[in-house]
Amino acid sequence: MAHLFRDLSLGHSKRGTTATVAATAVTATAMPAADLPSPFGQLTPTLTDSDLRLTAYEIFVSACRTSSGKPLSSISQADRSSSSSSPTPTPPISPSLQRTLTSTAASRVKKAFGLKYSPSSKKSPSGKETSPAKAAKKPMTVGELMRFQMRVSEDTDSRIRRALLRIAASQVGRRIESMVLPLELLQQFKSSDFTDQQEYEAWQKRNLKILEAGLLLHPRLPLDKSNTAPQRLRQIIHGALERPMETGRNNESMQLLRNAVVSLACRSFDGSEACHWADGFPLNFRLYEMLLEACFDVNEETSIIEDVDELMEQIKKTWGILGMNQMLHNICFTWVLFHRFVTTGQVENYLLDAADNQLAEVAKDAKTTKDPEYPKILSSMLSSILGWAEKRLLAYHDTFDSANIDSMQNIVSLGVSAAKILVEDISHEYRRRRKSEVDVARNRIDTYIRSSLRTAFAQIMEKADSSRRASKNRPNSLPVLAILAKDVGELAVNEKVVFSPILKRWHPFSAGVAVATLHSCYGNELKQFISGITELTPDAVQVLRAADKLEKDLVQIAVEDSVDSEDGGKAIIREMPPFEAEAAIANLVKAWIKTRVDRLKEWVDRNLQEEVWNPQANEEGYASSAVELMRIIDETLNAFFQLPIPMHPALLPDLMAGFDRCLQYYITKAKSGCGSRNTFVPTMPALTRCTTGSKFQGVWKKKEKSPNSQKRNSQVAVMNGDNSFGIPQLCVRINTMQRMRMELEVLEKRVITHLRNCESAHAEDFSNDLGKKFELAPAACLEGIQHLSEALAYKIVFHDLSHVLWDGLYVGEPSSSRIEPLLQELERNLMIVSDTIHERVRTRAITDIMRASFDGFLLVLLAGGPSRAFSRQDSQIIEDDFKSLKDLFWSNGDGLPADLIDKFSGTMRGVLPLFRTDTESLIQRFRHVTLETYGSSARSRLPLPPTSGQWNSTEPNTLLRVLCYRNDEAASKFLKKTYNLPKKL
């Protein structure tokens, strides 16, 4: 109970010392609390607060009496005032009740409550200080104080004490916990002990209703349906309520009542002798509430009495009868403190502070208790407190203002404390999710902020709408959203100044959450407004400017509030996506970009159809369409950066991506139709074997067109009729792509320069290349150059020079159809390429021509058709010719590097030795390699190895082809026997 009742003014009790004041106290009515029902459940409506208060007082007096072991009595006001001179001795008083209250020093409870009390002086009801000597003239015992606080008359108190004396005399040694007090009281008094019959009947009915509540309606132990005692007791009580029974003697009706009561009250779950008649929930809590309410001054209902320590000590002695303990006391006392605040005008904040501090004790209890019923009771009480607090906090802008802002912190603290116990100590779900470290306080405050600000926003929006309607006929009236933006800005500032400092205790970024909520609310309205904008009208400009200013103000508050956060406020900023004010401008700019990109694509289509790829078009030998394309892109970039918008860096990627796609489209169109390696390489003829002894058989076929030549020519017929696919034109295409690669780099640097000169650019806009460089076009240029260079090479070798390669080289007698014609034609084409093509891609193009030449030479040797045949003696001619082919590209050191030539001639170096190998060795090697490749399945019959195109001296198909073109009897017989190959196609 640390720091309860801080700054509470003590000694303001208006307790009177006369019988008149006491009588007034007895007739005082309880404080209304219709809006705050008890969380512990409702008792029967026939039991009034007065009934419960009297019963609670009886329990208090009996518990205090038995705890001391001495008679309990009280001194009347008259006796007290004359006690020093009266010769009549006073009855003995229990030491526990006889303590002089005015002499109390600072004690345990006071420290826990945080009371600041000076025992040297006290204040009178008028607020004036009285001396300790004067105050000490009329000392009051704890018993007298409790009677006064509980509004019990002296007559009633005297009757209770007489009854307890009689009970003690008749049942010596028996503890009060083993008795049923209402039953014993009924046993002691008859109607003559009361001033009138009406008082007696009211007293009897009260005790009977208490027995009914404690034993039948709210028993400590559940009633056994098979037990007839509850029904008997119910009949007796109802009968007595209708027609009063005779009490105060051992008659039959009293004996029946006693038997029925005892049979129910003496049921035990722990073997003790205690009777259970007032310890059932919620009766025990309601009775205990009545006792704790006595801690507050009767005449000053928001003040705690000075002598709360002594009184609390005595109240706790009732725990045995009421079935209470420290944990249940903490719950009940918390509720009493909170209830007192609510029902006394909600002005004394120290009561909330006291309840909040008491909750700290409750939280400790909740973590340690094993009682299965405890969480239910606690949950009910906390839910009631939390419900009351949240009703105010979920719309705290309506609840609090500058006049009552001080109470907000107390209410928030109490609500958060209740929520934390409910979630952390009662909720099973929280325990399962504990590892995720749920911050209950922060989550609750987050909810309060968002809920209250949404409500406040709706109110100011309605106000702005009304203001707009009132001024709609006035000139220059502001649009609703412009008015709303101004009001939201003021609300945000008020939130930051008034409420956020309070809420920051539980949520370090409360102001950030608040502005994020307002940002979201306003953003939803702005989004609807922007969706209807087709052009920038004056109203639209006003709204967008107001929205932009509001957003900057809100973001600034969020950033300032989050300066100490781990992420620098990024989480809050993520909740504040930019207003659609900028998005509206961005959409217009995107439409501008799309229009220009679409036009550029149409331009590419139109101009590429007219492009002739003329090498004489300009000195550098590239297409004029590419020059114009790059000029258009450059001009469009300049126009883009001149647009009066604040988001050039954000929209630049859209423009760059559009250009990138157009450039890629141009490159794809530029290389389409130019063919590829497979377009020009002829199809290999079927395998045949040589006709031995007729070396000139192929001479007559030299003048004929082979089927392969015819097929090859049909594949490229379309190119022969189109001058745009000639060797110079292909070189221009390659040059164009190389020029575009270089121009793209220049454009990218120009973009960076534009960005540096752009006011809206920030340092992070230069931290990476995303959106500022071309992604597709450079790769497309490189791939296009590779594709066209290879197509150029294979077109020259297999198409343009087919008459000296495929149709001429080694046809008939090898010695009379050697490589010189091919070398001459090849050299002429190399000169054309070298003079036309850009120097940066010249080496690549010539290297590709060399590779194509080597492939053509190998194809003639291994797939040249039946018009070719080679003897072992021809191997030297072949080797010499290949050396001449390499020398052409080496060009005495002025051509390609020797290591590059060696790299691409590796396959030839492996295959050429096969032509000088003897036939038998070739056959044996072929058998061996085939068996290795196909395993035991090839022993009975050698399979025909497929053509892989990967020529190699250890590859079965390569060896087979050397045998097919071997002008030798042994080779021919082997092929005839093994595969039955024909001699001609």
Side-chain angles (χ1 to χ4, degrees), residues 454-516:
R454 288 191 188 104
T455 302
F457 178 85
Q459 292 168 351
I460 63 173
M461 186 173 176
E462 186 176 346
K463 174 187 167 187
D465 200 28
S466 300
S467 174
R468 170 66 173 176
R469 285 197 299 269
S471 61
K472 66 179 180 179
N473 295 323
R474 297 177 193 169
N476 302 320
S477 62
L478 287 173
V480 173
L481 287 188
I483 299 171
L484 184 62
K486 177 176 175 294
D487 292 345
V488 169
E490 293 173 354
L491 178 61
V493 172
N494 182 65
E495 179 75 19
K496 176 187 174 184
V497 173
V498 177
F499 296 110
S500 294
I502 295 174
L503 299 174
K504 206 170 185 68
R505 172 183 163 190
W506 297 275
H507 197 310
F509 315 118
S510 54
V513 172
V515 295

Side-chain angles (χ1 to χ4, degrees), residues 457 461 468 477-485 521-548 579-585 587:
F457 178 85
M461 186 173 176
R468 170 66 173 176
S477 62
L478 287 173
V480 173
L481 287 188
I483 299 171
L484 184 62
C521 291
Y522 187 84
N524 290 335
E525 300 302 322
L526 187 64
K527 188 180 296 183
Q528 294 181 26
F529 173 79
I530 290 175
S531 66
I533 296 178
T534 56
E535 58 182 347
L536 287 178
T537 62
D539 274 7
V541 171
Q542 282 185 307
V543 169
L544 294 175
R545 284 181 176 176
D548 187 58
F579 281 159
E580 295 299 325
E582 287 191 0
I585 300 173
N587 288 337

Side-chain angles (χ1 to χ4, degrees), residues 29 112 137 202 217 349 419 426 627-628 691 704:
T29 57
K137 286 182 179 180
L217 300 179
N349 293 328
I426 296 177
V627 178
E628 183 66 13
T691 304
E704 299 174 2

Side-chain angles (χ1 to χ4, degrees), residues 120 182 265 283 526 560 569 616 679 881:
S120 62
L283 175 63
L526 187 64
E560 291 173 357
Q616 280 75 45
T679 305
D881 285 353

Side-chain angles (χ1 to χ4, degrees), residues 535-576:
E535 58 182 347
L536 287 178
T537 62
D539 274 7
V541 171
Q542 282 185 307
V543 169
L544 294 175
R545 284 181 176 176
D548 187 58
K549 180 183 183 303
L550 172 63
E551 182 165 51
K552 287 185 172 69
D553 293 343
L554 296 180
V555 170
Q556 181 62 29
I557 293 174
V559 170
E560 291 173 357
D561 189 56
S562 306
V563 68
D564 296 326
S565 66
E566 293 180 1
D567 65 351
K570 291 179 181 177
I572 289 295
I573 298 302
R574 277 197 294 270
E575 283 193 47
M576 304 170 69

Side-chain angles (χ1 to χ4, degrees), residues 683-727:
T683 305
M684 294 186 198
L687 292 174
T688 58
R689 58 192 173 90
C690 286
T691 304
T692 57
S694 179
K695 294 194 66 174
F696 304 100
Q697 192 176 32
V699 174
W700 315 113
K701 298 179 182 179
K702 183 176 181 180
K703 298 178 182 179
E704 299 174 2
K705 290 291 184 181
S706 69
N708 294 326
S709 297
Q710 295 167 6
K711 184 176 183 181
R712 181 181 68 249
N713 291 340
S714 66
Q715 288 176 316
V716 296
V718 66
M719 295 183 184
N720 291 337
D722 190 344
N723 195 43
S724 64
F725 295 106
I727 298 304

